[in-house]
């Protein structure tokens, strides 16, 4: 009960913080003070700090404890603002699965004059003698373009550097994850410290409620950063939470990052997907590339002009 009161006091502080008004910072300089000082101010226990840092602020390691608190405060504010916005959970998942996102993009792309090419392999990214992108090749056909944006699976190895490995397991179940109140969708984050690791482990489960599988079937995805020579054993603590598993598909992939920006060559390469289940890193990566390409931040508050054909 005492810890609950301390957490409530912290939440009230987080809610009332105005990032542009230091008078609301309760005597802390959030631009300089590390987040551990904020937790210490409210006397929080270690397990509570683990939960807030990894399941609310969605940090991947404990490095944030020693970094300026302003970033974590913003992340926690986002979480608090999201709770109850579209239901009880602060997280959203698209109906019909993640494939619904490119489908929505293809419609919006067509409205603004773009062409979406389906069932086309990218066999080669083409460059001229000066190393600038000229387009792509698919079989015997080419599409010319001064800029190519892609993920590392399309880019030449000479443009990439490996930064680690990720293991992912897709698990088919005939039951909800135990001890979750038979929830049809669940996100579970296992903090690294509680597993004796350096990085968190993630479980994301979806089901027929998202129209991605048959009734009575549940799909759980488990992922983490590889830290040992036995990657599958690293997933075991998370797999044990799932109960009986009908079938499981495991893959280990190398994470890549671009060696350079695309300013000179016109080839803009994103980072590989990290193991997290909420796509924050991927979203931030796209926003950074947009800013580098255009010279300005993407303002998602600006609504596009209405189109009669929309």
């Amino acid at each position: 009960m005492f810890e609950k009161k301390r957490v409530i006091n912290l939440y009230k502080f987080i809610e009332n913080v105005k990032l542009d008004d230091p008078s609301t910072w309760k005597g802390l300089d959030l631009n300089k003070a590390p987040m551990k000082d904020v937790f210490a101010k409210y006397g929080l226990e270690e397990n509570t700090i683990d939960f807030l840092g990894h399941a609310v602020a969605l940090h991947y390691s404990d490095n944030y404890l020693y970094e300026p608190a302003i970033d974590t405060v913003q992340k926690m504010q986002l979480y608090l603002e999201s709770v109850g916005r579209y239901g009880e959970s602060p997280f959203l998942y698209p109906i019909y699965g993640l494939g619904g996102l490119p489908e929505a993009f293809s419609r919006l792309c067509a409205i603004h004059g773009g062409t979406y090419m389906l069932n086309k392999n990218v066999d080669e990214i083409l460059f001229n003698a000066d190393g600038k992108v000229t387009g792509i090749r698919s079989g015997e056909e080419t599409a010319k373009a001064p800029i190519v944006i892609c993920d590392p699976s399309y880019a030449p190895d000479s443009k990439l550097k490996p930064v680690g490995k990720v293991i992912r397991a897709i698990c088919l179940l005939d039951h909800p994850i135990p001890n979750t109140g038979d929830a049809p969708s669940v996100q579970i984050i296992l903090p690294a410290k509680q597993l004796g690791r350096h990085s968190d482990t993630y479980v994301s489960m979806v089901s027929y409620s998202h129209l991605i599988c048959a009734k009575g079937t549940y799909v759980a995805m488990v992922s983490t950063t590889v830290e040992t020579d036995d990657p599958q054993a690293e997933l075991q603590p998370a797999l044990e939470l799932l109960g009986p598993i009908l079938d499981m598909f495991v893959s280990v992939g190398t994470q890549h990052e671009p060696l350079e920006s695309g300013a000179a060559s016109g080839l803009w390469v994103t980072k590989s997907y990290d193991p997290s289940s909420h796509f924050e890193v991927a979203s931030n990566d796209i926003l950074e590339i947009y800013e580098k390409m255009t010279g300005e931040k993407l303002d998602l508050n600006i609504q596009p002009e209405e189109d009669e054909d929309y």
Side-chain angles (χ1 to χ4, degrees), residues 9 14-15 75 112-113 125 131 142 178 191 203 239 255 271 286:
N9 289 335
I14 296 293
E15 275 188 319
K75 288 174 176 288
H112 292 281
I125 297 176
T142 60
V203 179
L239 297 176
Q255 281 185 287
K271 301 174 184 176
I286 293 299

Side-chain angles (χ1 to χ4, degrees), residues 153-169:
S153 66
Y154 296 96
D157 290 342
S158 60
K159 302 289 185 180
L160 306 172
K161 63 178 179 180
V163 293
K165 291 186 176 182
V166 173
I167 180 169
R168 293 182 171 88

Side-chain angles (χ1 to χ4, degrees), residues 9-240:
N9 289 335
L10 173 67
Y11 276 145
K12 288 180 178 177
F13 165 69
I14 296 293
E15 275 188 319
N16 292 325
V17 164
K18 295 180 181 178
L19 301 178
D20 58 352
D21 184 1
S23 67
T24 64
W25 297 0
K26 298 288 187 181
L28 292 165
D29 185 348
L30 299 181
N31 287 317
K32 296 180 179 179
M35 192 63 200
K36 68 180 182 65
D37 288 359
V38 177
F39 288 142
K41 181 179 178 68
Y42 289 90
L44 299 184
E45 296 175 355
E46 190 170 299
N47 283 340
T48 305
I49 292 173
D50 262 355
F51 172 76
L52 295 174
H54 292 259
V56 174
L58 301 178
H59 284 294
Y60 310 98
S61 71
D62 284 336
N63 292 342
Y64 79 95
L65 290 169
Y66 308 97
E67 296 170 351
I70 192 75
D71 178 55
T72 300
V73 169
Q74 285 182 280
K75 288 174 176 288
M76 294 179 70
Q77 284 184 334
L78 176 61
Y79 186 97
L80 292 174
E81 291 168 2
S82 301
V83 173
R85 180 68 65 89
Y86 297 105
E88 295 180 1
S89 171
F91 302 105
L92 296 176
Y93 192 86
I95 298 296
Y96 304 113
L98 296 177
L101 298 180
E103 286 182 8
F105 178 79
S106 68
R107 292 191 290 272
L108 192 61
C109 175
I111 288 170
H112 292 281
T115 301
Y116 222 82
M117 302 175 70
L118 304 176
N119 296 320
K120 282 287 187 180
N121 294 324
V122 177
D123 297 315
E124 183 183 5
I125 297 176
L126 304 175
F127 299 86
N128 63 19
D130 296 327
K132 295 184 179 296
V133 160
T134 59
I136 62 167
R137 178 179 64 82
S138 177
E140 299 300 318
E141 299 177 301
T142 60
K144 294 182 179 180
I147 294 174
V148 171
I149 307 170
C150 64
D151 74 30
S153 66
Y154 296 96
D157 290 342
S158 60
K159 302 289 185 180
L160 306 172
K161 63 178 179 180
V163 293
K165 291 186 176 182
V166 173
I167 180 169
R168 293 182 171 88
I170 300 175
C171 305
L172 302 183
L173 314 175
D174 60 2
H175 58 273
I177 294 178
N179 304 312
T180 61
D182 291 338
S185 63
V186 172
Q187 175 165 267
I188 301 172
I189 299 175
L190 286 71
K193 185 187 298 181
Q194 298 187 13
L195 299 177
R197 293 170 45 79
H198 299 293
S199 51
D200 293 352
T201 301
Y202 300 88
V203 179
S204 177
M205 188 204 75
V206 288
S207 65
Y208 178 78
S209 65
H210 308 90
L211 303 180
I212 59 95
C213 58
K215 282 187 176 180
T217 303
Y218 301 81
V219 181
M221 292 149 282
V222 185
S223 54
T224 192
T225 300
V226 174
E227 297 180 2
T228 70
D229 294 331
D230 188 1
Q232 194 158 331
E234 298 180 53
L235 292 183
Q236 198 57 37
L239 297 176
E240 290 173 357

